[in-house]
Each structure stands twice: as structure tokens, then as C-alpha cells.
Amino acid sequence: MASTLRLYLTCIRNTLEAAMCLQNFPCQEVERHNKPEVELKTSPELLLNPVLICRNEAEKCLIETSINSLRISLKVKQADELENILAKKFLRFLSMRAEAFQVLRRKPVQGYDISFLITNYHCEELQKQKLIDFIVQFMEDIDKEISELKMSVSTRGRLVATEFLKQF
Amino acid sequence: MASFERASPALKEILLRIYNAEKPIEVDHHLYEFGSVEYHIKSSVSEPQVTYLSISTPFLSQGVFLSYGLSPFTLKMVRQISTDVLHIVEPANDGYQLTLRLDFSKLPHNKESLNIITEVSSVQAVILSSQLKEMLQNVNSGDSSQGTYKPIKLIYHPKEPFYVIRQELIDVVSLKKWAKVPPCNWSPIPPLELRGEPFEDLSTNGGFVSFDISSHHVEGKRLDKIVWSLLNFYAYVKHHVKCTRGFIQRRMRRRLDNLVEVLEKSRVEDGQIKKVQGWKKMRKMVASKSKMIKRRWGDLGKKIKRIRFRIKIHGFARFRRRWLKMPSFSSSTGYTKLQTNGNNN
């Protein structure tokens, strides 16, 4: 199981290294404007082919690139209803605090749980390799955190129920 | 584990204050709890050892309140709190279901008095639990008629009803350890027995929990415990759901801080960027050159002025002022004021 995760993350890392070659490109439609082309998609010649990397039916990663911006959308594994609730709650918590991350999108792309938007300005302020490391570590940490939360909630529920029934 | 005390803390404090007061005090206090329970405590100087306590509380079941007041079983339970200290006043005060006369002179002068006052403060819990106890005692006595399926609706808190359904149960003995515990199960949809109840009472997003109470669960002293646990089950679950939410929030915040820290480390450091500062230095050099020239001419001018002429020529001072004056250099930032003549041609 761990080996498939390693392969999945390695594939995403290699794709990001290739895709994260961004440069400043002013908007062709409106003068003196500079917009992330991957969001607007007005000029097809500025967009690259999107890459979809699937670990399984439940987990996938979509990488869309353009000349001056890159969008990464993630679908996180949710095995049961409790994981579904915890993942939704946690990712919404992070999205609402997107300004702390700078590269995080406030609203995920439809069909995915969380999205990043990286522009050429981010590549100037942040080191490319470390930014890719952050994205990969983010994916690992999300899975780990959701598993730990699920275990804590189950343990806590079991303790609470035991304590209540002890009264009888 | 969250302990839900039976005694009302505010009522206990007021009664203790009255009991421990050195001089008789006048008290007329209205106390509200949970939004629907009301207490009225009255103590006057004319009767220093007597305090009147009136209680108004919503009943568990609407069918319990009889035309002449509380059921005899409930009154019996209330009297059992303390036969010496507590007397029921009939009829009760207007707007209240029960009025009690508390005689503090009958309280023992030791720690037992605190226990009795605590028991008196839990009179509301006694009233509510007596109603459920009455129903469960019928289970114990085997009085329930077989095939009685109509559920009895009980309301402990507003919008939180629970139902007591009498039916034959198959006693499933699982583990010896949990043999004393009533079996319970959860379902997302209402059980079959509640299908005929009003929709607004059955609409919930938390599902339905059912406890199977048998006769051996309500034997002797266990009845009191089981009644109090069942009445407070909803509050207990709500408390632990809130604690779990707080725990999850704290964990998420900690994880957020860790992730932000990782991102901050990926910033490009200041030493890796070369900043150009040449233009500032150039401007400084240009400004200092003009100052240098000014200083040199100033020195020369002073030297000339210090020259003393051995021969004094009449009118030479005026000549010197007009023709031997050092020219002033105009700077780019300043301007030379033109001397205007009288005629403007």
C-alpha cells in the first residue's frame, strides 16, 4: 500500500517539476492587466494539456498548466462516512484560511476536494523545488491527519460510551 | 466523564446562605433554569427558621399532571427527601406546581445538614425522575399488558422528546461483563414502533438510539440510577459532541501552523537577490561637488577681504563693493532673483 503511494507522489512530483516553468505574461485581451491564464482559459495557445494522475478511483490529481500559472486539484481518499465528514471539514478549514498559504485556492475546482493556484509571482518569491516539496508533503499530511482524526474520534466515542454504560 | 448533578447549584447556594446567616434575612428570590424551570424562594424576618420554596417545571409527559396536582407517587418521592425538614404546602402558590415549607430548625447541626440541603435543591430532578420511575416500576412489577405498543412521549428538554415503548423483549445475554447493561442500538431512521408519531418529533439528523430496559435493570436502587442516566443521555451526548468538535478544531489549527511553517521555509532568502543601489550614490556625489566649489570660492573671498590696503583711497570701498564682489553660483534647485528697474520697457 505504501509503495503505491510512493509511486503516486513521485509521479506528481515529476509532473510538477516539468510543469512549473512559468513566466510573466500580460493579458492579451485587456491591456495593463496580468491574469493567471489557467483560470480564464481565454487563449487556447497559452494553455498546455492538463495531466490527470489517478492512484485509484477515489484518489486523483489534476495538473493544469498555462504560460504564467499552474493549477493543481486534489481528490483525497474517503473510505467511509466518517472520513468523508472529517476530510470535508478539514479541507474547508484550510481553504477558508487560504491567505496564510498564498498558493491555496479558496474554492476547490468542481469534482475535487482542494486546489492550488501557483503563478509566476509565487515562483519568484518561493523556491521551485521547495514549493514542489510543500505540495507533496501537504498531500501526505492530509492523509495522515484524516486517519489520526478518525482514530481519535472512534477512540473517544468508545470511551464515552463505555463510561455511560458503566453507570448501569 | 461529565457529571450532571441533580441539585441546582444556584438554589443550593441561596438555601445555604439563608441557613448560615447569623441574623434572619428577608429573601424573595425568583430563579430560572434551562428557560422553563422556575423557583421562588421566600424567607421573612417574622419566621426566621422557615423558608418557602415553590417550583414550576414542565412535566415529562403531558398526561401526568392530574387535575388535583402532582401524582401521589411524585409527592411521596418528594416527601422522602426529608420528612422532618420538608413539608408540602397545599394548595401550591399561584403559577407553581409545588410549594414546600422548609423548617431549618429541624436540620441537624453537623455535616448532614449540607446533604439535606443538597437533596432539597434536587427537588426538580426528583419530580421529573419520579414520572419515569413510575413507568419503569410497572415493568418490574410485570404489570404491563402484553402487546401494548403505543409509545409514551416524554419531554425532558424542549425539542428533545424521547419515547417509552412497552413491549416484550427477548433477553439476549451476550458477554457476562455487560449482562447488567441494557442492550442499545442506533438506527438512522425511526424504529418501527414510532412510525405513527408526528413528523416534527421524528425529524432529526442524529439518528435514533434505543435502550431495552428489562425488569432486572430497575430492581431496587438501580432504578434511581437508570432513570437519571436515561434522562440525561441527550445532554451527555451533546456535551461530548461539543468536546470532540473543539478537539478536532485544535488539531486542525496545529496542522495548519505546521504546513504554513513548511511553506515559509521555501521563501527565497535576501542574500540570493542583488539589489542595485548605484543611483543613490551618484546623486550624493553630484551634490557634494557643487558644495565643494562654493566652499573654495568662499574661502578666496574671505582672503581678499582680509587684505588690508596700506594706502586708503577715497571712494575705493564703493568701487570694491561693486567690481570686486565674488559672483554667486546659482544651483539647480534655487533661482536668482532679478533686480527690476523703475522703468519697465
Side-chain angles (χ1 to χ4, degrees), chain B residues 104-126:
Chain B
F104 286 140
S105 60
K106 301 280 174 63
L107 277 173
H109 294 287
N110 52 20
K111 285 183 184 175
E112 189 62 29
S113 60
L114 181 63
N115 291 341
I116 293 172
I117 289 176
T118 306
E119 290 291 317
V120 170
S121 307
S122 61
V123 64
Q124 192 252 348
V126 168

PDB file of all heavy atoms in Angstrom, chain B residues 104-126:
ATOM      1  N   PHE B 104     -35.759  24.994  58.902  1.00  0.00           N
ATOM      2  CA  PHE B 104     -34.326  24.832  59.129  1.00  0.00           C
ATOM      3  C   PHE B 104     -33.999  24.517  60.585  1.00  0.00           C
ATOM      4  O   PHE B 104     -32.896  24.069  60.893  1.00  0.00           O
ATOM      5  CB  PHE B 104     -33.569  26.090  58.689  1.00  0.00           C
ATOM      6  CG  PHE B 104     -33.467  26.228  57.184  1.00  0.00           C
ATOM      7  CD1 PHE B 104     -33.619  27.460  56.582  1.00  0.00           C
ATOM      8  CD2 PHE B 104     -33.246  25.129  56.380  1.00  0.00           C
ATOM      9  CE1 PHE B 104     -33.528  27.587  55.210  1.00  0.00           C
ATOM     10  CE2 PHE B 104     -33.167  25.257  55.005  1.00  0.00           C
ATOM     11  CZ  PHE B 104     -33.302  26.483  54.410  1.00  0.00           C
ATOM     12  N   SER B 105     -34.957  24.734  61.484  1.00  0.00           N
ATOM     13  CA  SER B 105     -34.666  24.426  62.884  1.00  0.00           C
ATOM     14  C   SER B 105     -34.556  22.916  63.100  1.00  0.00           C
ATOM     15  O   SER B 105     -33.933  22.453  64.061  1.00  0.00           O
ATOM     16  CB  SER B 105     -35.762  25.000  63.786  1.00  0.00           C
ATOM     17  OG  SER B 105     -37.011  24.428  63.445  1.00  0.00           O
ATOM     18  N   LYS B 106     -35.134  22.137  62.173  1.00  0.00           N
ATOM     19  CA  LYS B 106     -35.096  20.668  62.310  1.00  0.00           C
ATOM     20  C   LYS B 106     -33.842  20.064  61.698  1.00  0.00           C
ATOM     21  O   LYS B 106     -33.617  18.864  61.775  1.00  0.00           O
ATOM     22  CB  LYS B 106     -36.326  20.029  61.611  1.00  0.00           C
ATOM     23  CG  LYS B 106     -37.658  20.503  62.152  1.00  0.00           C
ATOM     24  CD  LYS B 106     -37.973  19.745  63.438  1.00  0.00           C
ATOM     25  CE  LYS B 106     -39.212  20.265  64.126  1.00  0.00           C
ATOM     26  NZ  LYS B 106     -40.438  20.115  63.365  1.00  0.00           N
ATOM     27  N   LEU B 107     -32.999  20.926  61.085  1.00  0.00           N
ATOM     28  CA  LEU B 107     -31.780  20.403  60.453  1.00  0.00           C
ATOM     29  C   LEU B 107     -30.760  20.032  61.519  1.00  0.00           C
ATOM     30  O   LEU B 107     -30.579  20.781  62.485  1.00  0.00           O
ATOM     31  CB  LEU B 107     -31.160  21.457  59.527  1.00  0.00           C
ATOM     32  CG  LEU B 107     -31.737  21.569  58.116  1.00  0.00           C
ATOM     33  CD1 LEU B 107     -31.140  22.768  57.401  1.00  0.00           C
ATOM     34  CD2 LEU B 107     -31.457  20.306  57.317  1.00  0.00           C
ATOM     35  N   PRO B 108     -30.065  18.886  61.395  1.00  0.00           N
ATOM     36  CA  PRO B 108     -29.032  18.531  62.386  1.00  0.00           C
ATOM     37  C   PRO B 108     -27.844  19.486  62.280  1.00  0.00           C
ATOM     38  O   PRO B 108     -27.538  19.998  61.209  1.00  0.00           O
ATOM     39  CB  PRO B 108     -28.640  17.102  61.988  1.00  0.00           C
ATOM     40  CG  PRO B 108     -29.031  16.971  60.568  1.00  0.00           C
ATOM     41  CD  PRO B 108     -30.186  17.870  60.340  1.00  0.00           C
ATOM     42  N   HIS B 109     -27.169  19.696  63.417  1.00  0.00           N
ATOM     43  CA  HIS B 109     -26.057  20.649  63.434  1.00  0.00           C
ATOM     44  C   HIS B 109     -24.734  19.942  63.121  1.00  0.00           C
ATOM     45  O   HIS B 109     -23.827  19.899  63.915  1.00  0.00           O
ATOM     46  CB  HIS B 109     -25.972  21.344  64.803  1.00  0.00           C
ATOM     47  CG  HIS B 109     -27.153  22.219  65.083  1.00  0.00           C
ATOM     48  ND1 HIS B 109     -27.349  23.416  64.458  1.00  0.00           N
ATOM     49  CD2 HIS B 109     -28.217  22.023  65.895  1.00  0.00           C
ATOM     50  CE1 HIS B 109     -28.488  23.947  64.876  1.00  0.00           C
ATOM     51  NE2 HIS B 109     -29.029  23.127  65.750  1.00  0.00           N
ATOM     52  N   ASN B 110     -24.683  19.300  61.996  1.00  0.00           N
ATOM     53  CA  ASN B 110     -23.432  18.670  61.560  1.00  0.00           C
ATOM     54  C   ASN B 110     -23.396  18.665  60.036  1.00  0.00           C
ATOM     55  O   ASN B 110     -24.190  19.373  59.404  1.00  0.00           O
ATOM     56  CB  ASN B 110     -23.316  17.240  62.120  1.00  0.00           C
ATOM     57  CG  ASN B 110     -24.548  16.405  61.820  1.00  0.00           C
ATOM     58  OD1 ASN B 110     -25.326  16.720  60.902  1.00  0.00           O
ATOM     59  ND2 ASN B 110     -24.770  15.350  62.595  1.00  0.00           N
ATOM     60  N   LYS B 111     -22.527  17.867  59.493  1.00  0.00           N
ATOM     61  CA  LYS B 111     -22.382  17.870  58.030  1.00  0.00           C
ATOM     62  C   LYS B 111     -23.622  17.310  57.328  1.00  0.00           C
ATOM     63  O   LYS B 111     -23.804  17.512  56.132  1.00  0.00           O
ATOM     64  CB  LYS B 111     -21.164  17.028  57.633  1.00  0.00           C
ATOM     65  CG  LYS B 111     -19.861  17.736  57.916  1.00  0.00           C
ATOM     66  CD  LYS B 111     -18.668  16.917  57.443  1.00  0.00           C
ATOM     67  CE  LYS B 111     -17.389  17.625  57.839  1.00  0.00           C
ATOM     68  NZ  LYS B 111     -16.197  16.843  57.523  1.00  0.00           N
ATOM     69  N   GLU B 112     -24.431  16.628  58.055  1.00  0.00           N
ATOM     70  CA  GLU B 112     -25.652  16.056  57.481  1.00  0.00           C
ATOM     71  C   GLU B 112     -26.586  17.140  56.947  1.00  0.00           C
ATOM     72  O   GLU B 112     -27.355  16.922  56.009  1.00  0.00           O
ATOM     73  CB  GLU B 112     -26.346  15.229  58.577  1.00  0.00           C
ATOM     74  CG  GLU B 112     -27.504  14.382  58.113  1.00  0.00           C
ATOM     75  CD  GLU B 112     -27.101  13.323  57.109  1.00  0.00           C
ATOM     76  OE1 GLU B 112     -25.944  12.853  57.141  1.00  0.00           O
ATOM     77  OE2 GLU B 112     -27.952  13.000  56.257  1.00  0.00           O
ATOM     78  N   SER B 113     -26.483  18.328  57.556  1.00  0.00           N
ATOM     79  CA  SER B 113     -27.358  19.427  57.119  1.00  0.00           C
ATOM     80  C   SER B 113     -27.062  19.800  55.672  1.00  0.00           C
ATOM     81  O   SER B 113     -27.959  20.107  54.892  1.00  0.00           O
ATOM     82  CB  SER B 113     -27.176  20.648  58.019  1.00  0.00           C
ATOM     83  OG  SER B 113     -25.839  21.086  57.971  1.00  0.00           O
ATOM     84  N   LEU B 114     -25.772  19.744  55.299  1.00  0.00           N
ATOM     85  CA  LEU B 114     -25.384  20.063  53.916  1.00  0.00           C
ATOM     86  C   LEU B 114     -26.000  19.056  52.955  1.00  0.00           C
ATOM     87  O   LEU B 114     -26.480  19.420  51.875  1.00  0.00           O
ATOM     88  CB  LEU B 114     -23.855  20.066  53.804  1.00  0.00           C
ATOM     89  CG  LEU B 114     -23.281  20.403  52.438  1.00  0.00           C
ATOM     90  CD1 LEU B 114     -23.652  21.820  52.025  1.00  0.00           C
ATOM     91  CD2 LEU B 114     -21.757  20.258  52.436  1.00  0.00           C
ATOM     92  N   ASN B 115     -25.982  17.786  53.346  1.00  0.00           N
ATOM     93  CA  ASN B 115     -26.561  16.741  52.478  1.00  0.00           C
ATOM     94  C   ASN B 115     -28.053  16.948  52.284  1.00  0.00           C
ATOM     95  O   ASN B 115     -28.585  16.791  51.188  1.00  0.00           O
ATOM     96  CB  ASN B 115     -26.324  15.347  53.070  1.00  0.00           C
ATOM     97  CG  ASN B 115     -24.867  14.968  53.023  1.00  0.00           C
ATOM     98  OD1 ASN B 115     -24.105  15.561  52.270  1.00  0.00           O
ATOM     99  ND2 ASN B 115     -24.480  14.024  53.863  1.00  0.00           N
ATOM    100  N   ILE B 116     -28.721  17.339  53.370  1.00  0.00           N
ATOM    101  CA  ILE B 116     -30.181  17.525  53.278  1.00  0.00           C
ATOM    102  C   ILE B 116     -30.504  18.715  52.386  1.00  0.00           C
ATOM    103  O   ILE B 116     -31.423  18.661  51.558  1.00  0.00           O
ATOM    104  CB  ILE B 116     -30.802  17.702  54.683  1.00  0.00           C
ATOM    105  CG1 ILE B 116     -30.658  16.399  55.465  1.00  0.00           C
ATOM    106  CG2 ILE B 116     -32.263  18.116  54.595  1.00  0.00           C
ATOM    107  CD1 ILE B 116     -31.054  16.483  56.918  1.00  0.00           C
ATOM    108  N   ILE B 117     -29.721  19.792  52.541  1.00  0.00           N
ATOM    109  CA  ILE B 117     -29.959  20.975  51.698  1.00  0.00           C
ATOM    110  C   ILE B 117     -29.686  20.620  50.234  1.00  0.00           C
ATOM    111  O   ILE B 117     -30.396  21.074  49.320  1.00  0.00           O
ATOM    112  CB  ILE B 117     -29.104  22.175  52.170  1.00  0.00           C
ATOM    113  CG1 ILE B 117     -29.659  22.690  53.491  1.00  0.00           C
ATOM    114  CG2 ILE B 117     -29.073  23.280  51.132  1.00  0.00           C
ATOM    115  CD1 ILE B 117     -28.869  23.816  54.120  1.00  0.00           C
ATOM    116  N   THR B 118     -28.674  19.801  49.988  1.00  0.00           N
ATOM    117  CA  THR B 118     -28.381  19.360  48.610  1.00  0.00           C
ATOM    118  C   THR B 118     -29.541  18.538  48.062  1.00  0.00           C
ATOM    119  O   THR B 118     -29.932  18.701  46.896  1.00  0.00           O
ATOM    120  CB  THR B 118     -27.081  18.533  48.575  1.00  0.00           C
ATOM    121  OG1 THR B 118     -26.043  19.293  49.189  1.00  0.00           O
ATOM    122  CG2 THR B 118     -26.680  18.184  47.161  1.00  0.00           C
ATOM    123  N   GLU B 119     -30.095  17.689  48.878  1.00  0.00           N
ATOM    124  CA  GLU B 119     -31.243  16.874  48.436  1.00  0.00           C
ATOM    125  C   GLU B 119     -32.451  17.746  48.131  1.00  0.00           C
ATOM    126  O   GLU B 119     -33.178  17.519  47.168  1.00  0.00           O
ATOM    127  CB  GLU B 119     -31.621  15.872  49.531  1.00  0.00           C
ATOM    128  CG  GLU B 119     -30.620  14.755  49.738  1.00  0.00           C
ATOM    129  CD  GLU B 119     -30.587  13.794  48.573  1.00  0.00           C
ATOM    130  OE1 GLU B 119     -31.667  13.413  48.062  1.00  0.00           O
ATOM    131  OE2 GLU B 119     -29.489  13.435  48.138  1.00  0.00           O
ATOM    132  N   VAL B 120     -32.647  18.771  48.959  1.00  0.00           N
ATOM    133  CA  VAL B 120     -33.782  19.694  48.719  1.00  0.00           C
ATOM    134  C   VAL B 120     -33.575  20.436  47.403  1.00  0.00           C
ATOM    135  O   VAL B 120     -34.513  20.672  46.646  1.00  0.00           O
ATOM    136  CB  VAL B 120     -33.930  20.681  49.903  1.00  0.00           C
ATOM    137  CG1 VAL B 120     -34.907  21.790  49.576  1.00  0.00           C
ATOM    138  CG2 VAL B 120     -34.384  19.939  51.158  1.00  0.00           C
ATOM    139  N   SER B 121     -32.321  20.806  47.108  1.00  0.00           N
ATOM    140  CA  SER B 121     -32.017  21.544  45.871  1.00  0.00           C
ATOM    141  C   SER B 121     -32.239  20.686  44.634  1.00  0.00           C
ATOM    142  O   SER B 121     -32.313  21.210  43.521  1.00  0.00           O
ATOM    143  CB  SER B 121     -30.561  22.019  45.865  1.00  0.00           C
ATOM    144  OG  SER B 121     -30.270  22.730  47.029  1.00  0.00           O
ATOM    145  N   SER B 122     -32.341  19.377  44.831  1.00  0.00           N
ATOM    146  CA  SER B 122     -32.539  18.483  43.677  1.00  0.00           C
ATOM    147  C   SER B 122     -34.003  18.078  43.545  1.00  0.00           C
ATOM    148  O   SER B 122     -34.319  17.064  42.937  1.00  0.00           O
ATOM    149  CB  SER B 122     -31.670  17.243  43.812  1.00  0.00           C
ATOM    150  OG  SER B 122     -32.012  16.535  44.979  1.00  0.00           O
ATOM    151  N   VAL B 123     -34.907  18.906  44.081  1.00  0.00           N
ATOM    152  CA  VAL B 123     -36.334  18.546  44.065  1.00  0.00           C
ATOM    153  C   VAL B 123     -36.879  18.500  42.631  1.00  0.00           C
ATOM    154  O   VAL B 123     -37.743  17.686  42.319  1.00  0.00           O
ATOM    155  CB  VAL B 123     -37.135  19.516  44.961  1.00  0.00           C
ATOM    156  CG1 VAL B 123     -37.083  20.936  44.424  1.00  0.00           C
ATOM    157  CG2 VAL B 123     -38.559  19.066  45.124  1.00  0.00           C
ATOM    158  N   GLN B 124     -36.345  19.343  41.751  1.00  0.00           N
ATOM    159  CA  GLN B 124     -36.832  19.340  40.360  1.00  0.00           C
ATOM    160  C   GLN B 124     -36.481  18.018  39.685  1.00  0.00           C
ATOM    161  O   GLN B 124     -37.295  17.437  38.964  1.00  0.00           O
ATOM    162  CB  GLN B 124     -36.223  20.520  39.598  1.00  0.00           C
ATOM    163  CG  GLN B 124     -36.875  20.767  38.253  1.00  0.00           C
ATOM    164  CD  GLN B 124     -36.005  20.375  37.097  1.00  0.00           C
ATOM    165  OE1 GLN B 124     -34.822  20.124  37.266  1.00  0.00           O
ATOM    166  NE2 GLN B 124     -36.563  20.309  35.914  1.00  0.00           N
ATOM    167  N   ALA B 125     -35.260  17.535  39.927  1.00  0.00           N
ATOM    168  CA  ALA B 125     -34.842  16.248  39.359  1.00  0.00           C
ATOM    169  C   ALA B 125     -35.705  15.120  39.937  1.00  0.00           C
ATOM    170  O   ALA B 125     -36.056  14.179  39.230  1.00  0.00           O
ATOM    171  CB  ALA B 125     -33.371  15.991  39.671  1.00  0.00           C
ATOM    172  N   VAL B 126     -36.065  15.231  41.216  1.00  0.00           N
ATOM    173  CA  VAL B 126     -36.902  14.193  41.856  1.00  0.00           C
ATOM    174  C   VAL B 126     -38.285  14.162  41.195  1.00  0.00           C
ATOM    175  O   VAL B 126     -38.827  13.096  40.897  1.00  0.00           O
ATOM    176  CB  VAL B 126     -37.033  14.469  43.369  1.00  0.00           C
ATOM    177  CG1 VAL B 126     -38.108  13.619  44.004  1.00  0.00           C
ATOM    178  CG2 VAL B 126     -35.699  14.244  44.054  1.00  0.00           C
TER     179      VAL B 126
END
